[in-house]
Amino acid sequence: MAGTKEEPVFHREKSPDDGPQSPTMLPWDRFSNWLYCACVVTFDLELGQAMELIYPSHVKLTDAEKANICYLSFPDSNSGCMGDTQFNFRIRQSPGRKPGNKSFISINKELPVSIQGDNAHYCGFVYFRQTKDKSIRRGYFQKSVVLISRFPFVALFSELISILAPEYFDNGEPSLEAACHDIDQWPAPCSGETVNLPIFGTVLQVRIPSRSDKVLLGQVTNKSPVVPMIPAHVILPSLCEVDIFSGFQSILPHIQMMWELVLTGEPLVAMAASPSVTSSTVQALISLISPLKYCSDYRPYFTIHDSEFKEYTTKTQAPPSVILGVTNPFFAKTLQHWPHIIRIGEMMTQTPKGFNKLKKASSLKTLDSKPGVYTRYKPFLNKDKAILKRLIKGIQTKRPVEAQNAILRRYFLEITQSFIIPLERYMASLMPLQRNISPHKSPPVLRPFDIEEFLKTVEHSGPQLTSGIKGDWQGLYQRFFRSSNFEGWYKFRQHEVNQKLQVLHLEAICEANLLDWIQDKQEVEIVDLILRIREKLTFATNNNLVVNMENVNKLQKHLQGIISSLPEDLQSVLKS
C-alpha cells in the first residue's frame, strides 16, 4: 500500500480494551477516544478508488470495510464535483468485530441517547478534492481524506476535516501524522464538560452534551461553566447539530410530514445532485425527532457499489426501514417502488409555483425531476400552516439561515416532546409503588407496556394537551409502535427504570436493620443474604448506579457485623 513505509509502528503491550485512566497509556489511546483512524483514498487508473494510507498504522480494517470506504469517499462520476467537496457516510462494521474499548463504552453511556455511537457502524467524514492536472494521464487530480469514527459527531468532525484535509493536500503525509498526534493529546470527551481541542495551531472548543441535560424549548440547561485554558479560535455551538433549514428549503410545505415518516421508521430516499446535499439532508432528517434516537439504519451517502446495495434495492420484498441519500440517476429507476422519495433542489430566494403540492411516487423517472416529495402517504396530523408562513416570510425577508434553523429546531423539539410526554407518563404508571420495595425480597419489576391500555389514555391526556396540532394522534402512535424507534426507546427506558429500581432496592437494604432481621434466621439464610448484598453492591459499582454512599458505608459495617456473628470457619470463607 503506497505511502506507508515511513509510518512509525507502535508495539502495543496491552489490550485495546484498556480504559483511558490506565497508568500504562500508550500512543493512540486518547486518539481512539475520538476517532478510529484517518484514511487517504486516491484514484488508480487500474484499480479505480484505492486506499493509499491508513493512519495510525496499527489500525486494522477488513477488506469489505476498505472497499466500502473507498467507494463512498468519492462522489459519483456523473456529479461533476470540481474543487473541494465535503460530505459524510455510514457503513456497517464487519461481523465479528469486538465492541468498542472500555473508554468508548464509558463515554458513550453518558451521552444523550440520540447521539450515541454504536458498535455496529462506522461514520465517515470526507473531504474530496478534484482539480484538473495535465500531468496525470486521466487529466484530473482526485483524492479524499477521510476520518472514521464510531461517534456521529457531525458538526465537530466536519469542522475538523475542513482544517486537516487542506493541510494534507498542501504538505502531504507528515501533516496527517502531525494532526493525528495532535488528536492523541485531546482530553477524553467527558459529558457535560467544555473541551479545548487543538489542531494545527487552531483550537476547537465544544461542549460535550450529557444525558442529564434538560432540553426545554430549544435551550440546554445544566451547562458547565466555560473556563477555557487556552483561547478558542473556533467555538462550535454543538457537537452534532446540522443545518436543517437549507436541506429542506425546497420541500418546506412537507417538512411536518417528514417528521412523521422519520418518527415511524418509514423507508425514505433523499435524491440530490451531490453527496454533500444528500448527507446533510439525511442527517437533518434523523435530527427531526431529537431527543428521540433514530433507531433504524441510515446512509447519508449510498452508492451502487455499497455492500448492502442488493439488500436495500431488492423488489422481492418490501423496502427495509432505512433512510438513503443517493446521487446516481440509476436509483431513480431502481427505487421507483419505494413509497417515499425526496428530490432536493437548489436554495431558493422565492417560493416557486406548485410549492405546496405532493407528487406521485410513480412520476419520478430521473434525478432531473422537479424538487419535491414523491409519495402517496397521508399524514396523521393536520398541517401546521403557521410555521410554514413564518419560514416563507423569513425567505422573503432574507432572515439569516441560523435564525431559520433555530425556529425549525424549536418547532420540532416541541412537537417531539409533546409526543413523548404521554409515553413517559404511561411508563411512570408502570413503576411499582415505592412501598412495595422490600429489603427482604427481590426488587420489583416494571409492568409490561400495554399498547391498548396506553391508547385509551391518548384521548384525554395525549399530545393535544401541549401541542396545538390536531389530527389522528392515536393512529400515529399505532404506526410508531410498529417501528424500531419505539423498540429502541422502550428498551432504553426499560433499562433506565430497572436501574432506578435496583438503586431503590439497594437503598432499602441499606436503611434496613439487618442485625435484628438475622436474629431468628438459619445460617444458610444469613450466608445467602450476605452473598446477595455483595452481588448487589458489585452490580451497583459495575453499572455506575448513583447510590447514597453514606448508606452504602453503613451497609458495609452491617455486613461486617453479620459476618462476625457467624462461626469462625464460615467467617474465614466469607472473608476470603
Side-chain angles (χ1 to χ4, degrees), residues 44 128 148 187 232 254 290 416 442 478 489 511 534 549 561 574:
D44 184 289
F128 169 74
I148 303 295
H254 316 299
S290 181
T416 303
S442 297
Q478 285 175 317
W489 172 83
E511 292 169 4
R534 281 182 171 173
M549 285 311 298
L574 290 169

Side-chain angles (χ1 to χ4, degrees), residues 481-493:
F481 290 142
R482 296 198 293 269
S483 75
S484 55
N485 289 334
F486 168 68
E487 184 182 349
W489 172 83
Y490 180 56
K491 280 183 178 177
F492 176 73
R493 291 295 290 118

Side-chain angles (χ1 to χ4, degrees), residues 42-51 71:
T42 191
F43 191 88
D44 184 289
L45 275 174
E46 294 179 3
L47 302 173
Q49 282 103 295
M51 188 74 72
Y71 282 123

Side-chain angles (χ1 to χ4, degrees), residues 161-358:
I161 194 73
S162 74
I163 297 170
L164 189 157
E167 286 282 342
Y168 170 79
F169 288 127
D170 289 346
N171 302 306
E173 188 180 331
S175 62
L176 183 63
E177 181 179 339
C180 290
H181 279 283
D182 275 355
I183 296 166
D184 191 40
Q185 301 306 309
W186 287 5
C190 183
S191 62
E193 297 292 323
T194 297
V195 291
N196 290 302
L197 310 173
I199 184 79
F200 289 143
T202 296
V203 180
L204 304 177
Q205 188 180 84
V206 66
R207 181 183 181 274
I208 310 299
S210 169
R211 267 177 55 183
S212 62
D213 289 342
K214 299 289 185 289
V215 185
L216 299 168
L217 302 180
Q219 302 295 318
V220 177
T221 62
N222 294 356
K223 282 192 176 182
S224 59
V226 179
V227 187
M229 296 175 66
I230 42 182
H233 296 195
V234 179
I235 299 177
L236 297 174
S238 165
L239 198 64
C240 298
E241 217 165 74
V242 293
D243 178 359
I244 56 177
F245 172 73
S246 299
F248 292 134
Q249 196 184 9
S250 59
I251 56 165
L252 274 182
H254 316 299
I255 193 167
Q256 188 181 317
M257 182 176 71
M258 293 297 102
W259 176 81
E260 286 192 25
L261 294 175
V262 175
L263 180 73
T264 55
E266 286 288 308
L268 198 55
V269 183
M271 295 183 171
S274 77
S276 56
V277 176
T278 67
S279 59
S280 62
T281 301
V282 172
Q283 295 288 357
L285 282 166
I286 65 170
S287 74
L288 289 181
I289 62 171
S290 181
L292 274 176
K293 181 180 179 69
Y294 181 75
C295 295
S296 295
D297 197 2
Y298 65 95
R299 302 302 174 91
Y301 178 46
F302 189 75
T303 75
I304 59 175
H305 302 291
D306 197 287
S307 54
E308 278 79 62
F309 174 76
K310 287 184 179 178
E311 177 186 338
Y312 286 163
T313 58
T314 179
K315 295 182 181 179
T316 58
Q317 59 191 42
S321 175
V322 62
I323 301 177
L324 302 180
V326 302
T327 61
N328 195 320
F330 177 75
F331 283 106
K333 183 178 180 181
T334 309
L335 301 178
Q336 270 193 51
H337 63 294
W338 276 50
H340 322 291
I341 299 172
I342 310 169
R343 174 71 175 94
I344 301 297
E346 302 299 320
M347 288 283 284
M348 301 179 304
T349 54
Q350 58 184 9
T351 54
K353 190 177 180 181
F355 189 48
N356 286 300
K357 290 183 179 178
L358 285 174

Side-chain angles (χ1 to χ4, degrees), residues 77-108:
S77 57
N78 67 298
S79 60
C81 293
M82 290 297 291
D84 294 350
T85 306
Q86 271 192 252
F87 56 96
N88 57 81
F89 61 78
R90 186 170 182 259
I91 61 169
R92 280 185 194 165
Q93 293 181 20
S94 293
R97 272 204 177 276
K98 291 181 180 179
N101 59 27
K102 290 178 183 176
S103 177
F104 168 79
I105 294 167
S106 175
I107 292 163
N108 211 32

Side-chain angles (χ1 to χ4, degrees), residues 20 67 233 267 552 562:
H233 296 195
V552 172
I562 293 169

Side-chain angles (χ1 to χ4, degrees), residues 40-52 70-71 73-77 128-130 136-144 169 305:
V40 176
V41 179
T42 191
F43 191 88
D44 184 289
L45 275 174
E46 294 179 3
L47 302 173
Q49 282 103 295
M51 188 74 72
E52 182 177 306
C70 285
Y71 282 123
S73 295
F74 276 33
D76 275 324
S77 57
F128 169 74
R129 176 167 289 184
Q130 176 171 276
I136 298 173
R137 273 176 58 197
R138 187 177 169 85
Y140 291 96
F141 171 89
Q142 294 174 306
K143 194 171 283 194
S144 287
F169 288 127
H305 302 291

Side-chain angles (χ1 to χ4, degrees), residues 387-432:
I387 184 69
L388 183 59
K389 285 180 181 177
R390 191 176 174 194
L391 291 167
I392 289 175
K393 185 177 180 182
I395 295 172
Q396 294 164 346
T397 59
K398 295 183 170 52
R399 182 187 291 141
V401 169
E402 293 79 7
Q404 296 280 70
N405 264 311
I407 292 168
L408 268 177
R409 274 196 208 96
R410 177 169 177 151
Y411 175 76
F412 283 110
L413 177 63
E414 288 177 351
I415 191 174
T416 303
Q417 286 181 327
S418 290
F419 185 83
I420 295 173
I421 287 168
L423 292 166
E424 294 287 357
R425 189 185 297 122
Y426 179 70
M427 279 292 284
S429 75
L430 303 178
M431 282 271 288

